[in-house]
Amino acid sequence: MPDRNLFETSVDSLAGDDHRMRAWLAMVGCFTSVERSLRRRFNQAFRSSLPRYDVLTALAQFPDGLTMGQLASKLMVSKGNITGVVRRLQQNNYVRQSTSAEDRRVQLVTLTPGGRQLWDRMHEEYRSVIGEVLADLSDEDSLALSGKLSQAQEKIDEFLQRNDASQ
Amino acid sequence: MPDRNLFETSVDSLAGDDHRMRAWLAMVGCFTSVERSLRRRFNQAFRSSLPRYDVLTALAQFPDGLTMGQLASKLMVSKGNITGVVRRLQQNNYVRQSTSAEDRRVQLVTLTPGGRQLWDRMHEEYRSVIGEVLADLSDEDSLALSGKLSQAQEKIDEFLQRNDASQ
């Protein structure tokens, strides 16, 4: 039996009525377990980190390219977090930066054909890990979990919108 | 209306029957949104990163101390990920390393009283952010979400156990 992780044991110390914190810690626990499996497999298969896959995924969705600011915003991180990742991907010729045809002051990051191939392989691996790790979850359970999470996402988005507007 | 993030738009491209991947991406979306709020607030309030809080949280739960290996395992990261965090916490006198009374070859990391105070303040802030971000989620919805996530965690743990055993 593996040791329970921090996010599982933290739940024990919560007051019985702290339902939101309990839901959040349950989410952190699941997320952390699955992410660790992904991270391990990506390290074994590609010697690659997950932020690298995330950057490639965003660029695969937007073949016309994204500015560094747009890329950071899609990934919900700061530009500083992805500068190094993008630079290394560029050195390895998986992405390139070029001037926007519409506005010469704007630099766009796009996937190269090699970057697209790498992403295809990574994406297959990603789906395969998720399929394995969540294999014991039935279709019905997966659907119910998605439903509850989408509901939470809506409420979170409403909060973020109010909060961003008030700043 | 804020831009939809990568994990929300990724869902659009999934096959209708890819229920596990859909559930996972919904989880990543929620997790990323909430974590960003936590990260911002921790940066504003403490000039501190979340891994720093996580390390303090683990040590607060284990007042007798943890080895670096135990600490990494509780946080589900590699030792390399926390070495720098622990070193800086030690430089700031929030944690200390000392020799185990039971086995002089073992070094244990423990919280100092100052570290415990810092953790208390951080933990209050953490709970307050979660309470705000998830404020629109009812008790019933939070409970239902926790239930579905705990069920998923069980299935994930079963997979991890089988997987660790086969390696």
Side-chain angles (χ1 to χ4, degrees):
Chain A
M1 184 66 190
D3 253 11
R4 296 166 75 221
N5 69 46
L6 177 69
F7 313 101
E8 292 171 82
T9 51
S10 290
V11 171
D12 299 343
S13 64
L14 289 177
D17 61 348
D18 202 344
H19 300 308
R20 284 166 204 80
M21 188 73 173
R22 192 175 296 273
W24 168 246
L25 289 177
M27 199 185 309
V28 178
C30 278
F31 177 86
T32 308
S33 303
V34 177
E35 197 197 31
R36 189 181 60 150
S37 295
L38 283 168
R39 202 165 48 213
R40 280 189 179 175
R41 191 77 77 83
F42 266 62
N43 187 33
Q44 284 164 9
F46 305 108
R47 297 255 142 237
S48 175
S49 66
L50 290 176
R52 204 170 146 96
Y53 167 73
D54 289 339
V55 164
L56 294 174
T57 302
L59 295 175
Q61 278 188 21
F62 295 91
D64 293 340
L66 294 169
T67 66
M68 287 295 281
Q70 288 168 335
L71 190 53
S73 154
K74 293 283 166 207
L75 301 173
M76 304 195 82
V77 296
S78 71
K79 273 202 263 183
N81 284 117
I82 52 166
T83 309
V85 177
V86 170
R87 191 177 52 230
R88 283 187 295 279
L89 285 168
Q90 198 172 358
Q91 282 163 357
N92 296 325
N93 211 25
Y94 292 128
V95 309
R96 69 172 154 238
Q97 295 207 45
S98 52
T99 306
S100 161
E102 281 150 33
D103 184 342
R104 292 182 49 83
R105 289 161 305 181
V106 174
Q107 286 282 314
L108 292 173
V109 187
T110 48
L111 281 187
T112 64
R116 174 73 205 200
Q117 278 172 18
L118 176 63
W119 180 77
D120 285 340
R121 287 196 296 130
M122 285 183 163
H123 190 55
E124 267 314 293
E125 191 71 23
Y126 190 100
R127 290 172 53 113
S128 143
V129 175
I130 297 302
E132 287 169 40
V133 178
L134 299 183
D136 296 338
L137 210 64
S138 70
D139 281 358
E140 290 67 32
D141 290 338
S142 302
L143 274 168
L145 177 57
S146 293
K148 289 293 157 201
L149 286 165
S150 302
Q151 187 187 39
Q153 181 80 58
E154 259 177 53
K155 307 291 186 187
I156 295 165
D157 285 347
E158 282 167 27
F159 164 80
L160 293 177
Q161 218 173 322
R162 285 200 307 274
N163 199 48
D164 284 353
S166 72
Q167 280 187 347
Chain B
M1 186 65 192
D3 252 11
R4 297 165 74 220
N5 69 47
L6 177 69
F7 312 101
E8 291 173 81
T9 52
S10 290
V11 171
D12 300 343
S13 64
L14 290 177
D17 60 348
D18 202 344
H19 300 308
R20 285 167 203 80
M21 188 74 173
R22 194 176 294 272
W24 168 246
L25 289 177
M27 199 188 306
V28 179
C30 278
F31 177 87
T32 309
S33 302
V34 177
E35 197 197 32
R36 189 182 59 152
S37 296
L38 282 168
R39 204 165 46 213
R40 280 189 180 174
R41 191 77 78 82
F42 267 61
N43 188 32
Q44 284 164 9
F46 305 108
R47 297 255 141 237
S48 174
S49 67
L50 290 176
R52 203 170 146 96
Y53 167 73
D54 289 339
V55 165
L56 294 174
T57 301
L59 296 175
Q61 278 189 19
F62 295 91
D64 293 339
L66 293 169
T67 65
M68 287 296 281
Q70 288 168 334
L71 190 51
S73 155
K74 293 283 166 209
L75 301 173
M76 304 194 83
V77 298
S78 70
K79 274 203 262 181
N81 283 118
I82 52 165
T83 309
V85 176
V86 171
R87 192 177 51 230
R88 282 187 296 279
L89 284 169
Q90 198 173 357
Q91 282 162 358
N92 296 326
N93 211 24
Y94 292 128
V95 309
R96 69 171 155 240
Q97 295 207 46
S98 52
T99 305
S100 161
E102 280 149 33
D103 183 343
R104 290 182 50 84
R105 290 161 304 181
V106 173
Q107 285 282 313
L108 291 173
V109 187
T110 48
L111 281 187
T112 64
R116 174 73 206 199
Q117 278 173 18
L118 176 63
W119 180 77
D120 285 340
R121 288 197 295 131
M122 284 183 164
H123 190 56
E124 266 314 294
E125 192 70 24
Y126 190 100
R127 290 172 51 113
S128 142
V129 174
I130 296 304
E132 288 170 40
V133 178
L134 299 183
D136 296 338
L137 210 64
S138 70
D139 280 358
E140 289 70 29
D141 291 338
S142 303
L143 273 168
L145 177 57
S146 293
K148 289 291 157 201
L149 285 166
S150 302
Q151 187 186 40
Q153 181 80 58
E154 261 178 50
K155 306 289 185 187
I156 295 165
D157 285 347
E158 283 166 27
F159 164 81
L160 293 177
Q161 218 173 322
R162 284 200 308 276
N163 199 48
D164 283 353
S166 71
Q167 280 187 347

